[in-house]
Amino acid sequence: MAGGGANATRWNPTGAAGVRIVVAGDAKTGKSSLILTAAADAFPPSVLSVLPPTRLPDDMFPDRVPVTVVDTSSSTENRGKLVEELRRADAVILTYACDRPETLDRLSTFWLPELRRIEVRVPVIVVGCMLDKRDDDYPVSLEQVMSPIMQQFREIETCIECSALKFIQVPEVFYYAQKAVLHPTAPLFDQEAQTLKPRCVRALKRIFILCDQDRDGALSDEELNDFQVKCFNAPLQPAEIVGVKKVVQEKLAEGVSERGLTLTGFLFLHALFIEKGRLETTWTVLRKFGYNNEIRLSDDRLPPPIKKHPDQSVELTNEAVDFLRTIFFTYDIDGDGSLRAPEVEDLFSTAPENPWNEAPYRDAGEKNALGGLTIDGFLSKWALMALLDPIRCVEYLIYIGYAGDASTAIRVTRRRRLDRKKQHSDRNVYQCFVFGPKEAGKSALLNSFIGRPFPGEYVPTTNDNNYAAHIVDQPGGIRKNLVLREIPEDGVHNLLSSKDALAACDVAVFVHDSTRESSWKRATELLLDVASHGEATGYEVPCLIVAAKDDLESFVTEIQNSTRVSQDLGIEAPIPISTKLGDLSNIFLRIVNAAEHPHLSIPETEAGKSRKHYHRLISRSLMFVSVGAAVAVVGLAAYRVYAARRNSSS
């Protein structure tokens, strides 16, 4: 196989934006002379103290990517300008004078720590200037001097010494800087361990699988040649293919099988390229398959940002769900109807990482008694991902093999406001916000939904990332995804501070501990807060009250209090449940039914009723005015007819 920056947000792999290199270092270390010599191909007789931005010739390097070099001053009065330029850099060249050891020391005592302090995260090239001035008897090699500094500051890409006066390694300085941007080492290779980094391995594995057309676990000569043409626009000669496989087989017997180059051999080749400094080869391959500098799919391989109203949501299409069913059973190697942790890791081994190792997805789906993820749990996690982060969801679908057009994997639902007018919702995924005071039983409700064990002692929820997603079976074989989101009591005020807080909510459930009157009172307050917010913003939601811990004795006036409140608000009476006994009164089916009929179970506060009454009065007044005006018009017309007749008779 034959043969790119640290700042992917600013640099376009097409090269259109170019590379911006900032040169910094102590005064009198040769910054300006280095830049001018590179640009003019000759040592300047005199230089300005600080040069204006300098464009290097486009044909100076084989990539022909425009390179702009920015000179800087280290003076105190120019400090703000220096920081501004460093933060705009794609790469930084730090200079020291070869004949002044104190300027070298300043790299590790000031310049490199300063770059970290101002959060400049780009490749750094350390350059020793004025090599011609150093004593020939200097006893220490560059490697000996720089090795401890490079160990401490991993952002250093390479070190080089040069002389602008003698024109020694001047072009190489900027070649290495440009190369560090176009073909950075850090994302691909662990210098200390001398191995490919995990994310690089995962991307190359995906590329290998995509190129293994017959799915036999090896790249045949024909598949290798197709790969070469796709990435480098040039075929491999038969002798070259033999040569490639021979190199691999000599070093790694399992790298080649009778069927061709194995994944192990493919990875070995790329590690070999990188070790030999041919990073451009691996970067060319990665970019041809759509990867950016973070070794993730670039934006042009993903759907554009989704334009939707706050009360619209995103769901997977039937095409995407069918693909996921196939994937589930493909990776269920032992055929037990579930995915064990190693099988899930294998599933995501071609993605940058397993997205379900972190909240909110980690524990959000149903698992069986042995900890395996069931098919319903698997599909529900994907439904949750599409709901919360649809673009990332599509990205991971592509990583695991979704070959259709990315835009066919998701769809935007109808507005919830329109659903209420139509008095029906046909969405496949409903989101329920679970409110309630501390220790009311919110987490227990979520746990029971996906079969998580009942906890022995109370553990408070301290963040708003507690989700549970599962499929609810309805009569007639209809299945809907339900997502429960726990809203901690302390987070309600912050949630409702946003106008669109309830826009994504299909149903709100209010849980209270039926043994404690204080819990009921607080749940009622939360219900009124949510109902008032919905009335004020137009995002009214169906509400259900849940009386938890029904296995214990309720407080004396619980039933009459809760019944009165539900009647006053015009919603269903509280639903008693016991998560400890597993007696849930079909609560999840009732939540889905409420979501499907979004015009029902909407509470009306006193303020809301007054507002409606006022609007009705205004409407009646307008109607009366309209009728009165119509009568006046008719009367005027009749008078005009009468007057006309009198005039004609006289």
Side-chain angles (χ1 to χ4, degrees):
M1 287 183 287
N7 195 333
T9 58
R10 200 176 305 132
W11 181 75
N12 185 327
T14 64
V19 174
R20 187 179 182 87
I21 299 170
V22 175
V23 183
D26 283 353
K28 307 295 183 184
T29 54
K31 299 187 293 293
S32 303
S33 296
L34 174 65
I35 296 168
L36 272 182
T37 302
D41 211 19
F43 184 75
S46 62
V47 294
L48 299 171
S49 57
V50 178
L51 300 172
T54 304
R55 172 81 174 263
L56 298 183
D58 288 353
D59 60 355
M60 190 169 177
F61 308 114
D63 291 288
R64 301 187 67 84
V65 173
V67 175
T68 300
V69 184
V70 179
D71 196 7
T72 61
S73 169
S74 58
S75 64
T76 306
E77 57 268 24
N78 289 306
R79 162 80 186 164
K81 179 69 172 172
L82 171 65
V83 171
E84 179 187 339
E85 293 294 358
L86 288 170
R87 284 178 172 160
R88 294 177 61 202
D90 293 313
V92 172
I93 290 176
L94 291 181
T95 60
Y96 68 92
C98 289
D99 62 333
R100 292 164 55 204
E102 71 276 10
T103 62
L104 175 59
D105 293 339
R106 284 260 299 165
L107 296 183
S108 54
T109 60
F110 174 74
W111 286 103
L112 288 160
E114 179 67 2
L115 290 180
R116 288 185 176 180
R117 190 189 70 79
I118 62 175
E119 298 182 343
V120 174
R121 298 185 180 93
V122 297
V124 175
I125 311 298
V126 172
V127 179
C129 297
M130 296 180 275
L131 180 60
D132 53 283
K133 290 188 177 182
R134 191 168 66 195
D135 190 340
D136 291 339
D137 298 328
Y138 189 70
V140 184
S141 69
L142 178 64
E143 185 178 353
Q144 288 175 297
V145 171
M146 291 307 304
S147 182
I149 299 177
M150 292 183 74
Q151 287 290 325
Q152 184 181 356
F153 298 95
R154 294 286 178 182
E155 55 267 41
I156 298 175
E157 191 80 14
T158 192
C159 305
I160 186 173
E161 293 180 327
C162 69
S163 168
L165 178 65
K166 301 290 186 181
F167 207 72
I168 299 172
Q169 297 201 119
V170 171
E172 286 84 346
V173 168
F174 296 98
Y175 169 73
Y176 285 127
Q178 185 213 52
K179 185 179 179 182
V181 177
L182 303 185
H183 314 122
T185 303
L188 304 183
F189 200 70
D190 187 325
Q191 299 276 21
E192 191 170 345
Q194 288 294 292
T195 57
L196 294 172
K197 286 192 171 178
R199 188 173 284 192
C200 179
V201 171
R202 288 167 169 262
L204 291 174
K205 179 180 178 180
R206 174 174 172 263
I207 291 169
F208 178 90
I209 291 171
L210 289 173
C211 295
D212 181 17
Q213 295 293 326
D214 57 10
R215 299 292 185 266
D216 66 347
L219 298 183
S220 64
D221 291 359
E222 183 180 353
E223 289 168 338
L224 262 178
N225 193 58
D226 290 344
F227 166 80
Q228 175 75 16
V229 170
K230 177 179 175 65
C231 295
F232 305 103
N233 300 315
L236 282 170
Q237 299 302 315
E240 291 176 308
I241 294 176
V242 171
V244 166
K245 292 195 288 190
K246 184 178 179 183
V247 167
V248 173
Q249 206 158 22
E250 286 175 353
K251 299 284 187 179
L252 202 67
E254 64 270 28
V256 178
S257 71
E258 66 276 3
R259 296 187 299 276
L261 185 71
T262 65
L263 173 60
T264 305
F266 186 72
L267 296 174
F268 169 80
L269 271 180
H270 283 281
L272 189 64
F273 291 142
I274 294 169
E275 287 175 11
K276 292 184 178 297
R278 292 172 57 189
L279 289 96
E280 64 274 11
T281 301
T282 300
W283 275 117
T284 298
V285 170
L286 289 169
R287 288 184 176 131
K288 186 62 71 171
F289 282 86
Y291 287 91
N292 61 21
N293 286 357
E294 282 72 45
I295 316 188
R296 304 189 73 93
L297 287 176
S298 55
D299 290 344
D300 60 359
R301 299 297 179 106
L302 303 174
I306 297 170
K307 295 179 180 178
K308 65 181 183 69
H309 293 282
D311 62 343
Q312 290 178 291
S313 55
V314 178
E315 298 178 348
L316 294 169
T317 60
N318 290 337
E319 185 179 343
V321 172
D322 289 343
F323 164 77
L324 288 170
R325 288 183 185 279
T326 301
I327 282 292
F328 178 90
F329 292 110
T330 299
Y331 282 86
D332 180 17
I333 305 300
D334 54 11
D336 65 348
S338 68
L339 295 183
R340 295 175 294 107
E343 291 170 332
V344 174
E345 288 299 328
D346 190 27
L347 167 69
F348 286 116
S349 65
T350 51
E353 62 277 314
N354 179 350
W356 294 351
N357 282 339
E358 59 188 38
Y361 309 110
R362 184 174 52 244
D363 298 316
E366 180 192 52
K367 295 180 181 178
N368 62 19
L370 298 176
L373 189 64
T374 65
I375 179 65
D376 284 353
F378 178 76
L379 294 176
S380 295
K381 279 195 176 189
W382 281 104
L384 175 62
M385 208 171 179
L387 181 72
L388 300 183
D389 196 347
I391 301 300
R392 191 178 186 216
C393 177
V394 174
E395 180 185 357
Y396 278 82
L397 282 172
I398 296 171
Y399 289 137
I400 67 172
Y402 186 76
D405 185 333
S407 62
T408 66
I410 52 177
R411 74 178 189 99
V412 177
T413 65
R414 188 168 70 184
R415 295 191 66 179
R416 289 175 173 82
R417 188 170 294 177
L418 188 55
D419 283 345
R420 282 198 298 277
K421 287 183 180 179
K422 300 283 187 181
Q423 300 187 358
H424 182 72
S425 172
D426 60 357
R427 264 175 282 126
N428 295 313
V429 182
Y430 295 115
Q431 182 169 204
C432 170
F433 287 6
V434 181
F435 295 92
K438 292 181 177 67
E439 300 187 61
K442 300 186 297 296
S443 298
L445 181 66
L446 269 68
N447 291 341
S448 65
F449 185 40
I450 55 175
R452 288 195 292 236
F454 187 84
E457 57 185 50
Y458 171 68
V459 178
T461 301
T462 56
N463 58 63
D464 59 358
N465 265 340
N466 189 19
Y467 286 83
H470 198 16
I471 292 174
V472 176
D473 291 305
Q474 295 179 287
I478 299 172
R479 314 188 84 208
K480 298 287 185 179
N481 280 282
L482 177 61
V483 172
L484 302 183
R485 177 189 174 189
E486 180 179 353
I487 310 294
E489 182 184 1
D490 296 339
V492 174
H493 177 75
N494 186 53
L495 173 72
L496 298 183
S497 64
S498 166
K499 178 189 174 185
D500 299 331
L502 301 175
C505 178
D506 294 296
V507 179
V509 164
F510 297 84
V511 182
H512 70 276
D513 179 349
S514 61
T515 69
R516 296 164 56 195
E517 187 172 8
S518 59
S519 180
W520 159 248
K521 287 181 177 179
R522 181 60 182 141
T524 305
E525 291 171 0
L526 294 172
L527 170 55
L528 290 172
D529 288 344
V530 170
S532 299
H533 189 280
E535 289 171 343
T537 60
Y539 294 125
E540 298 102 327
V541 295
C543 294
L544 299 177
I545 302 173
V546 170
K549 307 182 185 180
D550 191 47
D551 52 293
L552 303 176
E553 187 174 344
S554 61
F555 68 89
V556 177
T557 58
E558 196 269 340
I559 295 176
Q560 62 190 69
N561 286 355
S562 57
T563 302
R564 176 180 52 79
V565 169
S566 59
Q567 287 176 345
D568 288 346
L569 293 173
I571 60 176
E572 187 179 346
I575 303 165
I577 68 167
S578 170
T579 54
K580 189 173 185 178
L581 299 180
D583 182 4
L584 300 174
S585 302
N586 284 324
I587 180 62
F588 306 118
L589 180 58
R590 292 164 90 158
I591 292 172
V592 169
N593 287 339
E596 287 188 320
H597 303 92
H599 61 298
L600 302 177
S601 302
I602 294 178
E604 273 194 296
T605 65
E606 288 302 321
K609 291 176 184 176
S610 299
R611 193 180 297 114
K612 279 190 177 180
H613 181 65
Y614 173 75
H615 285 307
R616 277 196 290 266
L617 287 176
I618 293 295
S619 298
R620 286 174 185 169
S621 299
L622 290 173
M623 188 181 300
F624 176 78
V625 170
S626 299
V627 170
V631 170
V633 169
V634 171
L636 180 61
Y639 173 76
R640 284 174 176 168
V641 170
Y642 169 74
R645 285 176 178 171
R646 282 193 62 184
N647 290 336
S648 62
S649 64
S650 62

